[in-house]
Every structure is written in structure tokens, then in C-alpha cells.
């Protein structure tokens, strides 16, 4: 999937203006989250109707169809005036190795990586692995009910990136919306950890999940921030490195969350599955809040680019925006 996503980011950088990049990134995430949403209740219903093997065949055929459409209709870039020699020089293997090293050593990229680690990574771990068990074990929900709550959080994940990308491009800021929304995301995790001992009232739970999905949306600006502090010739490398944060965060946080649960397990097993008490989830939420807090601290080091690449010589300043 990373191969597809990074290629899309490169295409967006080629086809759209700097002050449209975040909006298009948000739209791309909208498509990805829409697929995740289809993989909850709709996929469950499809599996019930035709079985999981046939369902996977349907998914595979749809994927192949989109691949054929992409091959036939998507162009790498608009008509360019670059000479063939210039285009070849951008892809020389020796130069690529040098560009990779320079991109890795670009200190302005890494705060966006840690920001994505703390925001997208924690949300990915919660939705992808631990939200369902939390709902069934702490609130006593059936799997069908829990799936609907996961679906609700994914719907919020559809709205958040679109809203964040459009807002950032509209106001001509990258760092400002990140600094505004990240503390709110931290507050929701603290509410999950402390409200009613780690078990917020059921009536409030849907709103908390919606706010989690929306307030983690600054992660949608990860690729825009990385692109705009890197030379235009290494957009693919820059967005690829930036992409590490969220998915590394998801992998680490799934493991860390489970490790904290196991530390607080009281020995209860039902049908071969460990049942964790609410105190275990409370501890895991608190540790997750600590990761988000660290991510918040790193956002202070993100460079404000005013939606312009710093190498183009046309960086927008607050004075220009005021004009």
C-alpha cells in the first residue's frame, strides 16, 4: 500500500499547486479511510452473504480494475518543458543515493515524522486492533455493536483529513492548525484515561470517538510539511520518509498497548481469549496520552512554510498573506 500512496503524493506534487497539496492529500486519505470503512460493517455483511474467500476475490478484482484504469489514464506529470537530459539526470542511480542521504539528514523533516507517529500511529493502533476488544470487554458490547462504533470512528477519520487539508491551504498555514488540533487530541486521550476510571459514560463515547478521528487530522499535513522543506526533485523521497512516522507509530503502539494490557491482566480467560479489566485499558490510554504529549512537544520544531516550498524562492510571508 505504501508504494501506491507515495506514488499518489508524487503525482499530486506534479499536478497541483503548493497551496492545493494539503487538500489533495486530505482527499487521498479520504479515499484510504473510505476503504477502511468499507472493511468494517459492509465487509462483514458481504462475508456473511458470500463467504470470506469470495469476498477476497471481489476485492482483488476491484483492485485489478483500478490498476488497469490507472495504467491507461494517469499521466506522471503535465506537459513539461524539461529536456530529456534534465529528466534523466533526476533519476541517475548515483544521484538518487546522494539525494536519499541528503533527505535523511534534513532536520526539518523529522519533526513531522514524530508528529505523525504520535497522532496517526496512536489512532491507527486504536482503530486497527484495540478499540473492538475495549468495547466488548469493558462495555460488554456484542461484536456487531463494537463494529458499528469502529465504523463511527472511521467516518470521523473521513471528515478530519479533508477538513484539515482544506483549512491549511485556505489560511496558508501548516504549523498553526497542527498546534491548534494536537492539544485537543491529547485532551480526548486523557478523558478516555481518567473519565469514570477509564470507562466514559456510554452516551459520551460516540462523541469522544468522533473527536478522536477529527482531532488527529493534523497527521494529514505530514506529507505537505515534508514536501515543502525538501527540494522539489526529491518529493518522492521526502514524502516516503515522512510516511514512516504514522505506520511505524501504528506498529509500535499496537505492541505497546498490548504489552501494557498484559502487565495489568488479572488472569481471566474466556473461550481462549484474555479478558482485560478496565484498569488495564486505563493504563494503556494513559501511556498513549504520554506518546501524544511527546508528539505535541515535537510540533514546536515544525517549520512554518506558508504552503510554499522553501527552495522555490517564492515563500509566502505573513506580510504577503495580509496583502
Amino acid at each position: 500500500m505504501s508504494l501506491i500512496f507515495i506514488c499518489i503524493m508524487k503525482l499530486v506534487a506534479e499536478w497541483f499547486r503548493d497551496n492545493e497539496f494539503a487538500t489533495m492529500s486530505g482527499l487521498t486519505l479520504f479515499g484510504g479511510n473510505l476503504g477502511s470503512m468499507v472493511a468494517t460493517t459492509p465487509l462483514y455483511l458481504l462475508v456473511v452473504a458470500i463467504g470470506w474467500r469470495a469476498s477476497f476475490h471481489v476485492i482483488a478484482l476491484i483492485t485489478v480494475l483500478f490498476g488497469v484504469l490507472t495504467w491507461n489514464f494517469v499521466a506522471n506529470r503535465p506537459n513539461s518543458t524539461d529536456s530529456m537530459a534534465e529528466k534523466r539526470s533526476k533519476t541517475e542511480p548515483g544521484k538518487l543515493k546522494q539525494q536519499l542521504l541528503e533527505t535523511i539528514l534534513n532536520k526539518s523533516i523529522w519533526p513531522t515524522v514524530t508528529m505523525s507517529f504520535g497522532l496517526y500511529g496512536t489512532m491507527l493502533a486504536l482503530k486497527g486492533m484495540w478499540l473492538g476488544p475495549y468495547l466488548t470487554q469493558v462495555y460488554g458490547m456484542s461484536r456487531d455493536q463494537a463494529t458499528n462504533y469502529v465504523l463511527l470512528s472511521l467516518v470521523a477519520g473521513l471528515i478530519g483529513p479533508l477538513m484539515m487539508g482544506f483549512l491549511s491551504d485556505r489560511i496558508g498555514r501548516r504549523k498553526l492548525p497542527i498546534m491548534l488540533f494536537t492539544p485537543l487530541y491529547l485532551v480526548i486521550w486523557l478523558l478516555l484515561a481518567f473519565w469514570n476510571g477509564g470507562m466514559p459514560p456510554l452516551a459520551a463515547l460516540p462523541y469522544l470517538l468522533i473527536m478522536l478521528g477529527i482531532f488527529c487530522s493534523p497527521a494529514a499535513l505530514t506529507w505537505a510539511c515534508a514536501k515543502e522543506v525538501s527540494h522539489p526533485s526529491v518529493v518522492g523521497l521526502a514524502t516516503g520518509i515522512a510516511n514512516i512516522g504514522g505506520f511505524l507509530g501504528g506498529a509500535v503502539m499496537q505492541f505497546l498497548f498490548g504489552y501494557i494490557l498484559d502487565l495489568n491482566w488479572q488472569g481471566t480467560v474466556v473461550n481462549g481469549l484474555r479478558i482485560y479489566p478496565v484498569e488495564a485499558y486505563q493504563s494503556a490510554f494513559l501511556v498513549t496520552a504520554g506518546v501524544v504529549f511527546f508528539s505535541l512537544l515535537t510540533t514546536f520544531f515544525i517549520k512554518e512554510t506558508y504552503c510554499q516550498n522553501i527552495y522555490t524562492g517564492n515563500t509566502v510571508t505573513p506580510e504577503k498573506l495580509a496583502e
Side-chain angles (χ1 to χ4, degrees), residues 8-22 24-25 27 78 227:
I8 294 174
M9 291 296 97
K10 176 66 174 178
L11 285 168
V12 170
E14 294 285 352
W15 279 90
F16 294 90
R17 301 182 182 92
D18 286 341
N19 62 357
E20 297 171 335
F21 187 88
M24 297 307 301
S25 298
L27 186 60
K227 178 185 84 74

Side-chain angles (χ1 to χ4, degrees), residues 75 81 173 183 187 275 300 303 305:
T81 57
R173 297 285 201 280
V187 167
I275 304 300
F300 288 92
K303 184 185 292 293
T305 60

Side-chain angles (χ1 to χ4, degrees), residues 40-98:
T40 57
T41 302
L43 180 58
Y44 170 78
L45 295 175
L46 183 64
V47 170
V48 170
I50 65 174
W52 72 268
R53 290 181 185 275
S55 298
F56 276 30
H57 292 157
V58 170
I59 295 170
L61 288 173
I62 292 173
T63 303
V64 170
L65 173 62
F66 280 124
V68 171
L69 292 174
T70 301
W71 179 266
N72 284 280
F73 295 105
V74 175
N76 286 332
R77 59 180 61 85
N79 291 332
S80 174
T81 57
D82 290 349
S83 68
M84 291 303 296
E86 288 174 326
K87 289 180 180 179
R88 283 195 299 270
S89 69
K90 296 177 182 178
T91 56
E92 291 174 358
K95 188 173 183 180
L96 180 61
K97 185 182 296 185
Q98 177 186 348

Side-chain angles (χ1 to χ4, degrees), residues 55 74 139 141 170 196 224 255 266 275:
S55 298
V74 175
Y139 288 91
M141 293 185 184
R170 184 79 174 184
N196 196 30
F255 169 81
Q266 297 177 357
I275 304 300

Side-chain angles (χ1 to χ4, degrees), residues 270-284:
V270 176
N271 296 326
L273 296 177
R274 290 189 177 190
I275 304 300
Y276 301 101
V278 63
E279 293 81 9
Y281 285 99
Q282 183 182 32
S283 298

